[in-house]
Amino acid sequence: MITVTIEGKEIQTEPHKTIIEAAFENGIYIPHFCWHPDLAVSGNCRMCLVEVENMPKQVIACMTRCTDGMVVSVNSEKAIDAREAVMEFILINHPLDCPICDEAGECKLQDYTYKYSIGESRFDEEKNLKRKRVELGPEVMFDAERCISCSRCIRFCEEKVGDPQLTFVERGDRVTIETFPGKKLDNPYSMNVIDICPVGALTSTQFRFKARVWDMASTENVCPGCARGCSMNIWTRQNEILRLTPRENQYVNDFWMCDNGRLNSFKHTKENRVKEPSIKRDGVHTEVTWDEAIATVVGELKHYTKGQVAIIGSPYDMTEDAYALRKFADEVVQTPYLGIIEHRVEGDDDDFLIRSDKTPNMLGAKLAGVPSTDARYGLPGIIDALKDGSIRVLIVTDRNAFDNKELVEAIGDTVYVIAIVSNTSELTERAEVVL
């Protein structure tokens, strides 16, 4: 370990650390655009210029390694002058369109203009105009005028995805970003470039102009798209989910999440919702009160022995729900038949985040006792018992259970199906009672 002093604070750090890394690890903020803790250093924005004692000029904190006894000033007069000059340079051709920019409210350039810029421009010539509303891919829109050439998006595709789809073209004030010839920005993680873009150059085709960041509420959650369980934030307005963004978790997903998780993992909250309990009468579902629905289920279950009832849990449910289901099976229905359906897409996984298990909580369900540890009473046993007619009642909590064709084929016309689910599907159409 070595000792360095940053902004008057003496800290211990490792010799391979850069100034900006040592500063952030010790709660000292250094403004930056191009540096990202999980990407390689490019050193091209110059926003992190700091003054180092006994060095002839300012240095960039993202690329300068710490040395023992180094004294760094982030807010000295020279460092402030350098930062203001960089901001003035970046803003020369930047459009003044904050009022219509999706990034407003979470834009580094907007924040830095307020905190670190001189607040006025000496540039009175016409700004350099570039392409706007360029579809780099199906999910990402590009505004070249807003781009500050930080290269974060380029480095992400190369380093994290392993598919270099973006590159710089042209030079000087005409430099811009394009996809390689014949390519689109269509990798499974393309929307991460929107998150790491420090300005409003890259925006979501799905979320554009939907809401301002200060009009939404953010809730910490976990992505249910696959078994990875990426930490994320759910952004809502007027009780409607508008977007999902990754939340930093170094043990699970670092700073990232896949496009499928962002776009599809919350669709079930908007479509085909079960709003009220219902009972099938003359082949048609009729909405009823909870008291009537529960009374109907209780009355039906009394007609059967414990060996005639089977329960299929859900790997989409919370662990607490799985525990309650296990307790319900053991103490209320007293059935040994307790199964669960795996939803795997073999081959649809990678070395980054995506997993072939497309459920969020199979492990949690198993730890809570679902399914039965006795193979005779798990899903294969339930299917066999359905085929031979020994099971007469089937209680299902997995909204995607009927994706399993073997189960569907095993359910005869006489089986009484009770569905406890959030969305309508083939399962709810077949069910006698939907809770």
Side-chain angles (χ1 to χ4, degrees), residues 152-405:
R152 278 184 170 191
C153 55
I154 296 174
R155 284 176 284 148
F156 173 78
C157 291
E158 291 178 353
E159 298 167 19
K160 294 300 173 182
V161 184
D163 188 2
Q165 296 176 322
L166 299 175
T167 186
F168 282 132
V169 295
E170 302 293 348
R171 288 180 175 273
D173 64 355
R174 290 173 176 79
V175 69
T176 188
I177 290 172
E178 290 184 0
T179 55
F180 281 100
K183 284 195 172 187
K184 288 185 177 181
L185 182 60
D186 57 0
N187 67 69
Y189 301 92
S190 66
M191 297 181 74
N192 286 286
V193 302
I194 300 168
D195 303 318
I196 60 175
C197 179
V199 294
L202 298 171
T203 53
S204 166
T205 57
Q206 303 291 326
F207 178 69
R208 280 167 62 85
F209 310 126
K210 289 285 182 67
R212 292 299 196 183
V213 64
W214 53 81
D215 290 330
M216 296 186 291
S218 173
T219 305
E220 293 184 353
N221 214 300
V222 175
C223 177
C226 78
R228 167 65 73 169
C230 293
S231 295
M232 67 174 183
N233 287 310
I234 299 178
W235 296 83
T236 58
R237 184 183 185 190
Q238 296 178 344
N239 208 31
E240 180 185 0
I241 297 174
L242 296 181
R243 70 170 181 175
L244 307 180
T245 56
R247 176 165 51 90
E248 181 184 351
N249 185 335
Q250 294 298 318
Y251 298 101
V252 180
N253 56 303
D254 291 334
F255 302 87
W256 323 110
M257 68 184 294
C258 73
D259 292 358
N260 181 63
R262 292 176 192 259
L263 300 174
N264 298 318
S265 64
F266 68 94
K267 281 188 174 180
H268 69 280
T269 66
K270 296 184 177 184
E271 303 170 355
N272 307 321
R273 293 301 296 267
V274 174
K275 298 179 181 179
E276 299 289 344
S278 65
I279 298 174
K280 185 178 284 186
R281 292 170 176 161
D282 298 324
V284 178
H285 276 281
T286 303
E287 290 187 354
V288 296
T289 64
W290 275 102
D291 288 343
E292 184 178 354
I294 292 172
T296 301
V297 172
V298 172
E300 188 68 28
L301 289 176
K302 287 180 178 178
H303 297 153
Y304 302 99
T305 64
K306 58 186 180 182
Q308 293 179 309
V309 180
I311 300 174
I312 295 179
S314 174
Y316 297 92
D317 287 342
M318 294 183 293
T319 307
E320 293 87 346
D321 292 332
Y323 171 77
L325 194 68
R326 177 80 212 196
K327 194 171 182 181
F328 176 73
D330 290 344
E331 299 179 10
V332 181
V333 183
Q334 296 181 344
T335 177
Y337 289 105
L338 182 58
I340 198 167
I341 299 173
E342 293 196 17
H343 299 275
R344 287 185 173 274
V345 181
E346 296 300 338
D348 187 21
D349 56 355
D350 57 28
D351 296 330
F352 192 4
L353 296 179
I354 299 173
R355 293 291 171 261
S356 58
D357 179 1
K358 300 307 175 185
T359 63
N361 202 30
M362 178 62 81
L363 177 60
K366 288 180 177 179
L367 292 173
V370 180
S372 172
T373 54
D374 189 332
R376 294 175 300 168
Y377 302 112
L379 183 65
I382 292 174
I383 291 174
D384 290 340
L386 283 167
K387 288 178 179 178
D388 65 27
S390 57
I391 287 180
R392 305 294 301 281
V393 178
L394 184 64
I395 301 172
V396 185
T397 68
D398 184 349
R399 66 176 184 270
N400 296 317
F402 272 36
D403 290 346
N404 187 299
K405 299 306 178 186

Side-chain angles (χ1 to χ4, degrees), residues 2-13 19-30 51 53 66-75:
I2 59 174
T3 302
V4 298
T5 303
I6 305 178
E7 278 299 281
K9 183 178 181 180
E10 193 174 276
I11 60 178
Q12 300 288 314
T13 188
I19 294 173
I20 199 168
E21 288 175 322
F24 271 83
E25 288 173 0
N26 288 273
I28 301 170
Y29 189 81
I30 298 177
E51 185 178 6
E53 199 172 88
C66 295
T67 58
D68 196 31
M70 177 183 278
V71 179
V72 181
S73 295
V74 179
N75 294 306

Side-chain angles (χ1 to χ4, degrees), residues 44-102:
N44 60 347
C45 77
R46 324 307 287 182
M47 189 62 192
C48 64
L49 283 167
V50 294
E51 185 178 6
V52 177
E53 199 172 88
N54 299 323
M55 283 195 177
K57 60 181 182 179
Q58 296 87 358
V59 299
I60 50 174
C62 66
M63 200 170 275
T64 306
R65 295 191 183 279
C66 295
T67 58
D68 196 31
M70 177 183 278
V71 179
V72 181
S73 295
V74 179
N75 294 306
S76 66
E77 185 177 347
K78 286 185 178 180
I80 291 172
D81 287 345
R83 199 150 52 232
E84 290 177 349
V86 170
M87 284 298 299
E88 186 177 17
F89 176 73
I90 290 174
L91 290 169
I92 282 176
N93 284 306
H94 197 83
L96 300 176
D97 61 353
C98 294
I100 62 165
C101 180
D102 271 328

